Each structure stands twice: as C-alpha cells, then as structure tokens.
Amino acid sequence: MTVRLDIYTVPETLSPEASAPAGPDAPDARASLAVPAPLEAAHRRTRGVRSSAHTLGRAGLAVLRRPGLLLAVLFLLLVVAWALAPGVFASQDPITGVPTDRLQAPSAEHLFGTDHLGRDVYARVVHGSWLSLSATVIAVALGLSVGSLLGLLAGFLRGWVDDVVGRVVDVLLAVPSLLLSLAIITVLGFGTVKVAIAVGITTIAAFARVMRAEALRTSSTTYVEAARASGVRWYTVLRRHVLPNSAGPVVALTALELGSSVLAISALSFLGYGAAPPTPEWGALVSGGRDYLASAWWLTTLPGLVIVAVVLSANRISRSLEKDGEDR
C-alpha cells in the first residue's frame, strides 16, 4: 500500500537562487539577508577586545595568586621605572659628591650610604640602571633575533641548513660564555654597547637550540604537513604555523636570559670593560667599593643585592612562564 503525503514543509532559510524573483530588476536576496560589513567588522573587533581583556584578566589573577611572582614583577617594574625616570626616585647628583658626606653609612638621608667622594650610592644605582638595563635589552634582543632565526630555519628546512647551524652552535657552546665575551670585547673594544654585543653573541646558541627543537616538533604536526601538501609556500607555513606555535618556550628562555645577561654585563663591567668612570653602572659600582670592604661594606653589598634581586626576579618569571606553558 502506498501512502501519498500532500503536506510538506518549507525550510526557513532559502537559498538566494530559489527565493529571489527572476528578472534583471530583481533585488539581491543574499545582500538583503547578509549583515552589513561595517557592523560585522565592529562585532569582530568587539569580540577580539573582549577576548584580550579576558586573557589579561586571567593573567592578572594568576599573578595575584602567586606572591613570589607578584613580588618579582613589581620589583622589575620598579627597576624599569628607575631607568626611565631616575630623577623622580633619586634627586641627588650621581656624579658630583659632597666631600663632607664621604663614607656615610646608610640612613634616612642616604638610603645606600655614600662613597669615598661623598656621592649618594642609591642615586648612582638608580641612575646606573639605564645603562645596565639598556645593555641587557640589546644583548637579549641580539641573541633572540639571530638565534631564533637560525633555529627556526634549521628545524624547519633541515638538511644542510641544519648541519651548518648545528656546527655554529657547537662552536659557541664549546667556549665558556665569559671567555667568549672577553675575546669578542678584545676585538670590538671597550664600552657598554660593545659589552652588550659580546654578551648577545654568547646567547645565540641557547635560543637556536630551543627554537630548533620546537620547530622540529611543530613541523611534524598534521596541520603543518597539510599546509605544505596543499601547495602553500614554505615561508608562509613558517610564518603562520610554525613560528607562532614554537614561541612559548622561547619566551620563557627570554626572561631567563634577561637575568643571565644582567649578571654577565655586570661581571664584565666589574672587570673594567664597561662604561668609563665616573659613569654609574652596576658592575662598576660593585668594583669601585671593593677597596673599602672593611670600613664601608655598603659600597659593594647594596648594589650587589640589587643585581641579585633583578636576576632572581627574572628567573622567577621565567619559571612561571615555563610552568604555564607545560600546563597548557
């Protein structure tokens, strides 16, 4: 037995070809039903802003839940503020001292005491933060850019590129970083910028190794292989897929290298390869007070504690970034 159904339903959404009337003057049904482009773009921007705000809010809550991380971030922000506006935090002259105030112990008037020329040590530490931090930024930026590029190309292209980059990294790792920095400074000469370049060259190997490992891992994933099989150019795949998904551990390494570079630059400045006196620089401040350790301990101890605090703060942030990356 056959049953005939004469009742049928019409779908709520019709295609433009089926619903639009024929003829040259017929309106475009697709255009009438579509959302206006400016409004749709505004919606996308709103969603992007909300997503960014939500991400920042979650990051802020994560920092507040970790007192050690919060303290590290606040201290680094204070040091950056020292570098950007030293006159706000220390009104004393860091170059010219008062002879009657020489070798005074730390007090309310002189937080870090005074040196053998009557100069306020706290003012010299604050004003010297610009040179120390700028040299650190130059060194890390050099190592990050060159090392990440070499590691990215080696891990993605492989073959002879990987072999050449591997040999360069092996040479850099074969020599201790301090000795390599001294050798480079011998060629370049003295000065804060040249010290920063020397330290930056020694950090290239670390960035190259980490980026190469991440590029090898990412380039073997399904979506990267599908993109390459579909005919997308290799540098487009590298920029859109491999680099964004390999940057997590490199960001954590960047924070770690910030602390290591501060320590290395201060060590070279301590040896006299940095800025010439009387320019304040953290390593030079520690070096300048070593002749007064018995009578004026604060000349080396307090600037040295600032260096230690910066290194420990950078290491704490690096560990937090690495842990968050592993959790994700």
Side-chain angles (χ1 to χ4, degrees):
M1 181 176 64
T2 304
V3 180
R4 180 181 179 185
L5 298 178
D6 294 333
I7 301 175
Y8 59 93
T9 58
V10 178
E12 295 180 0
T13 304
L14 298 177
S15 63
E17 292 80 3
S19 59
D25 299 330
D28 190 356
R30 180 177 299 177
S32 63
L33 294 177
V35 180
L39 184 58
E40 184 178 358
H43 286 325
R44 286 199 301 267
R45 287 194 298 268
T46 304
R47 286 194 299 268
V49 170
R50 290 177 180 175
S51 177
S52 301
H54 182 65
T55 303
L56 291 176
R58 290 174 57 186
L61 291 176
V63 171
L64 292 176
R65 293 193 193 102
R66 304 174 186 175
L69 178 60
L70 178 62
L71 184 61
V73 172
L74 291 178
F75 181 75
L76 287 184
L77 290 177
L78 175 62
V79 174
V80 171
W82 285 356
L84 296 179
V88 176
F89 298 93
S91 58
Q92 295 87 350
D93 191 342
I95 304 299
T96 305
V98 180
T100 56
D101 294 339
R102 60 187 304 270
L103 295 179
Q104 290 190 4
S107 60
E109 184 179 1
H110 303 285
L111 295 179
F112 286 6
T114 59
D115 61 5
H116 60 288
L117 296 178
R119 298 173 296 191
D120 187 84
V121 178
Y122 173 73
R124 289 178 62 78
V125 169
V126 171
H127 285 267
S129 59
W130 169 253
L131 275 180
S132 298
L133 289 187
S134 60
T136 301
V137 171
I138 293 173
V140 175
L142 177 61
L144 175 63
S145 57
V146 178
S148 298
L149 179 60
L150 292 177
L152 192 64
L153 294 176
F156 184 74
L157 298 178
R158 305 181 187 181
W160 66 270
V161 178
D162 192 12
D163 294 337
V164 172
V165 174
R167 299 297 79 76
V168 172
V169 171
D170 290 342
V171 170
L172 292 177
L173 293 176
V175 183
S177 58
L178 184 58
L179 294 180
L180 182 59
S181 299
L182 291 175
I184 297 172
I185 291 174
T186 303
V187 176
L188 298 179
F190 297 177
T192 303
V193 176
K194 296 174 182 177
V195 167
I197 293 174
V199 174
I201 293 175
T202 62
T203 62
I204 290 176
F207 284 106
R209 292 182 65 185
V210 173
M211 180 59 82
R212 176 185 177 274
E214 290 301 311
L216 284 172
R217 178 188 61 81
T218 306
S219 60
S220 61
T221 55
T222 305
Y223 59 88
V224 172
E225 293 179 353
R228 299 184 70 175
S230 63
V232 180
R233 293 181 175 87
W234 66 270
Y235 51 84
T236 304
V237 176
L238 198 66
R239 177 174 55 87
R240 290 184 179 178
H241 301 292
V242 179
L243 179 59
N245 292 284
S246 303
V250 178
V251 172
L253 179 63
T254 302
L256 182 64
E257 288 296 333
L258 282 172
S260 301
S261 298
V262 167
L263 193 59
I265 290 171
S266 298
L268 293 173
S269 177
F270 178 87
L271 295 175
Y273 295 105
T279 304
E281 199 173 15
W282 288 350
L285 293 179
V286 177
S287 176
R290 59 184 174 179
D291 295 332
Y292 301 91
L293 285 175
S295 58
W297 56 269
W298 57 88
L299 295 181
T300 56
T301 303
L302 297 181
L305 288 177
V306 171
I307 297 173
V308 171
V310 170
V311 174
L312 293 178
S313 299
N315 291 348
R316 180 65 183 86
I317 295 174
S318 175
R319 289 198 305 270
S320 177
L321 292 173
E322 184 179 1
K323 183 177 182 301
D324 292 342
E326 293 176 354
D327 293 341
R328 287 194 296 267

